Amino acid sequence: VLGYAVVRFVALPPLEMVHYHANWALWIDGARVDLTGDQYMEDVAACASDPANIQAHGRVHMHEGNHDIVHVHHGGVSWGHLLQNLGWGMGLDWLYSDAGVLYRDGDGKRLTYVLNGLVVPPVYDRVIQRGDRLLLSFGSESPEDLLQNRFPDVKADAPEFDAGFDPAGCMGAMQESFGARFRRAVWFSGGS
């Protein structure tokens, strides 16, 4: 058994730590929605070092009062997951705010999604990719107007954050401890 544990320990691949960023902005009726409040930010003290035990709110979030940058810690999260973590909802033709306001296509207004410079179908189930730039807009502006006048305001600084330390994810120079790796090798559960 000890020999098996040693072989597994040596052959065990390192933990895959997902940590990348995207930019975005949410506009309603021609005004940017302010999402800089504490209720929209992940607590930087909430450090999740084991990707197998990460909670939903830690998979995709914003923090430190910066609502331009989305922090991704799980490879399968979508833009809908982000909005859900912020207390919002999104579907095919509707957006539901954390204040209980329903914005639905009609009366000359519509949801428009501009992703990486292209008008795209709804993004609620689209996986957030490294370096994505999303403009989510509800209002009467045409897609052409949004492309020309709003999308350039979506920041493009996500790559600068990819190389940095993310305090809410314990990412950066973090290495898996010997004890945590040993527990994984012999299938003991528990945090690291």
Side-chain angles (χ1 to χ4, degrees):
V1 172
L2 183 60
Y4 178 74
V6 168
V7 167
R8 232 179 99 71
F9 179 84
V10 170
L12 195 65
L15 277 176
E16 175 120 6
M17 299 292 189
V18 174
H19 176 223
Y20 60 87
H21 303 85
N23 288 103
W24 82 308
L26 172 59
W27 288 70
I28 295 179
D29 291 327
R32 174 127 190 226
V33 177
D34 182 0
L35 297 170
T36 60
D38 289 343
Q39 72 271 28
Y40 303 115
M41 299 295 144
E42 173 74 3
D43 182 2
V44 295
C47 183
S49 61
D50 183 353
N53 294 325
I54 194 168
Q55 300 296 310
H57 57 75
R59 292 180 180 137
V60 59
H61 57 260
M62 301 180 301
H63 52 79
E64 297 179 320
N66 186 343
H67 68 161
D68 295 309
I69 291 289
V70 175
H71 299 259
V72 177
H73 294 281
H74 190 276
V77 296
S78 68
W79 291 102
H81 289 129
L82 171 66
L83 282 160
Q84 184 177 26
N85 286 347
L86 301 177
W88 289 62
M90 178 173 41
L92 271 176
D93 64 351
W94 57 269
L95 185 65
Y96 192 76
S97 79
D98 63 333
V101 178
L102 177 64
Y103 302 95
R104 180 171 232 120
D105 286 4
D107 298 327
K109 295 183 180 183
R110 72 194 146 285
L111 275 172
T112 306
Y113 311 88
V114 180
L115 181 65
N116 301 323
L118 300 171
V119 177
V120 296
V123 296
Y124 60 89
D125 62 352
R126 188 180 291 250
V127 172
I128 302 171
Q129 300 295 322
R130 181 184 308 269
D132 271 353
R133 290 177 63 209
L134 174 69
L135 169 64
L136 173 56
S137 177
F138 177 82
S140 58
E141 299 98 339
S142 71
E144 295 77 22
D145 185 43
L146 292 171
L147 276 167
Q148 186 175 20
N149 299 316
R150 290 264 189 267
F151 185 72
D153 292 337
V154 177
K155 289 194 175 184
D157 59 351
E160 297 170 23
F161 286 82
D162 285 346
F165 176 78
D166 184 358
C170 308
M171 302 298 174
M174 187 192 85
Q175 296 288 327
E176 182 179 25
S177 71
F178 177 85
R181 184 176 173 91
F182 180 77
R183 284 190 299 278
R184 260 194 329 127
V186 295
W187 294 295
F188 289 119
S189 62
S192 33

